[in-house]
Amino acid sequence: VRVMYPAFAAEEGSDAKLEDTVQLRRLRPMPPPPASAFSGSLSAGAPLEMLFEDGWWQAVLTASETAEDGKAVLVVQTVYHNQTHRIAPGEVRPCLLWHWRCDRWERAWTLGALDTHYAMLLDDEDRRVHGMDVREKKALELQARRAAKQEEVEGKRRLKEEEKEARRRAKEAEERARREARE
């Protein structure tokens, strides 16, 4: 299949876009856009993808800061290259993993999910090259469904924890305001 990469020039200084031939099994749809409040909902340790040098890189949020100009800045560390970057909140999106067995994107809520996903990809590639029987294929599909369900449960648990923390902070702020009003 012939593809064109809109982010890369065919030659330096050229308006022509880079084209290449890839195997059909290597293609996947574009991930959905992030929710408008995505970057504001992140907490330290959250896996995400950052836009850097015309590509999306898997990273982990380490801190949120305010720049000298008053704008928010996210401090992230890349997962596989261990580099720290300071980026604008608009340059991040959820860390989504393409589950080709299920034909859908799933959000990675933990770094362990990334490791599991890549191990499955390597295993799938090995099995594709060396072949597998129907029973093995069904077992792999079941494993993928279980992993997706585990990620979903983990995501819901994390959201509940974040909501609980937000309620606790709101309650503290309310109590602090009452104390200040009494003083």
Side-chain angles (χ1 to χ4, degrees), residues 105-168:
W105 289 101
E106 294 285 338
R107 183 166 176 191
W109 293 96
T110 64
L111 289 177
L114 293 176
D115 294 337
T116 301
H117 182 75
Y118 286 114
M120 284 176 33
L121 289 178
L122 292 173
D123 188 51
D124 289 344
E125 184 67 11
D126 186 54
R127 289 178 187 278
R128 186 194 67 75
V129 170
H130 297 98
M132 71 175 101
D133 65 18
V134 174
R135 198 171 346 147
E136 286 179 308
K137 189 173 182 178
K138 287 184 179 183
L140 285 173
E141 290 170 354
L142 178 61
Q143 181 185 5
R145 285 193 300 273
R146 286 179 178 160
K149 184 63 176 179
Q150 184 178 359
E151 274 299 303
E152 181 183 342
V153 168
E154 177 65 23
K156 288 179 181 179
R157 183 195 61 76
R158 188 176 180 109
L159 284 175
K160 284 182 181 180
E161 287 177 6
E162 289 173 0
E163 290 171 355
K164 185 178 177 180
E165 179 65 17
R167 286 192 302 271
R168 185 189 65 76

Side-chain angles (χ1 to χ4, degrees), residues 90-114:
E91 296 175 330
V92 298
R93 69 182 185 190
C95 185
L96 298 174
L97 305 173
W98 177 250
H99 288 275
W100 65 269
R101 294 178 189 148
C102 309
D103 286 335
R104 69 173 185 243
W105 289 101
E106 294 285 338
R107 183 166 176 191
W109 293 96
T110 64
L111 289 177
L114 293 176

Side-chain angles (χ1 to χ4, degrees), residues 14-26:
S14 170
D15 287 336
K17 299 301 178 187
L18 177 65
E19 292 187 21
D20 195 9
T21 302
V22 296
Q23 296 173 341
L24 181 61
R25 67 183 175 79
R26 297 281 185 198

Side-chain angles (χ1 to χ4, degrees), residues 9 12 26 34 37-38 54 62 75 84 91 97 119 125 134 181:
E12 195 169 327
R26 297 281 185 198
F38 167 71
D54 296 323
T62 57
V75 180
T84 301
E91 296 175 330
L97 305 173
E125 184 67 11
V134 174

